Amino acid sequence: MKKARKWLENNHLDYEFHDYKKHGVPEKNLKQWVKKAGWEVVLNKRGTTWRKLSDDIKDNIDESTSIKVMIENPSAIKRPILENSDTLLVGFKEEEYKTLL
């Protein structure tokens, strides 16, 4: 998050920050992200939230259940997600930001 925000500020790009860990994410937005990027990209399987889920959930995860998990546990969403008209970037990779922004 810090790297992405710093990069945007250093490149004088305006952005609106929405802390979905604190404020949640509208289901409509989450479904759009999953449709554009795929649930496997949007779902953070490296974090502690994922590790704390039951093995039954982790073993049977699919698009529908991943959306439910991310709605109930916003920390399970990869960060940052940058959305700009048709562009959707999940996670911070400086080269992608340079190319697409």
Side-chain angles (χ1 to χ4, degrees), residues 3-14:
K3 288 180 184 180
R5 292 176 81 174
K6 185 174 181 177
W7 190 91
L8 292 167
E9 290 166 6
N10 287 344
N11 287 278
H12 310 289
L13 295 168
D14 293 330

Side-chain angles (χ1 to χ4, degrees), residues 63-96:
E63 182 176 313
S64 176
T65 55
S66 72
I67 290 170
K68 183 179 178 195
V69 165
M70 290 185 278
I71 291 291
E72 292 173 359
N73 305 282
S75 294
I77 302 170
K78 264 189 201 159
R79 295 174 286 142
I81 291 187
L82 190 130
E83 187 174 29
N84 182 13
S85 60
D86 292 335
T87 303
L88 181 73
L89 299 174
V90 181
F92 176 71
K93 294 180 184 124
E94 187 171 355
E95 289 306 315
E96 283 184 356

Side-chain angles (χ1 to χ4, degrees), residues 46-58:
R46 293 183 175 192
T48 56
T49 301
W50 174 258
R51 288 192 294 270
K52 289 180 182 179
L53 293 174
S54 73
D55 288 339
D56 185 52
I57 291 173
K58 291 189 278 191

Side-chain angles (χ1 to χ4, degrees), residues 22-61:
K22 288 183 181 177
H23 305 292
V25 61
E27 188 171 349
K28 177 183 173 187
N29 293 58
L30 182 58
K31 286 182 177 182
Q32 288 173 344
W33 299 342
V34 167
K35 184 177 180 181
K36 284 183 182 179
W39 67 267
E40 299 93 338
V41 173
V42 178
L43 179 64
N44 181 8
K45 290 186 175 181
R46 293 183 175 192
T48 56
T49 301
W50 174 258
R51 288 192 294 270
K52 289 180 182 179
L53 293 174
S54 73
D55 288 339
D56 185 52
I57 291 173
K58 291 189 278 191
D59 292 342
N60 296 297
I61 197 83

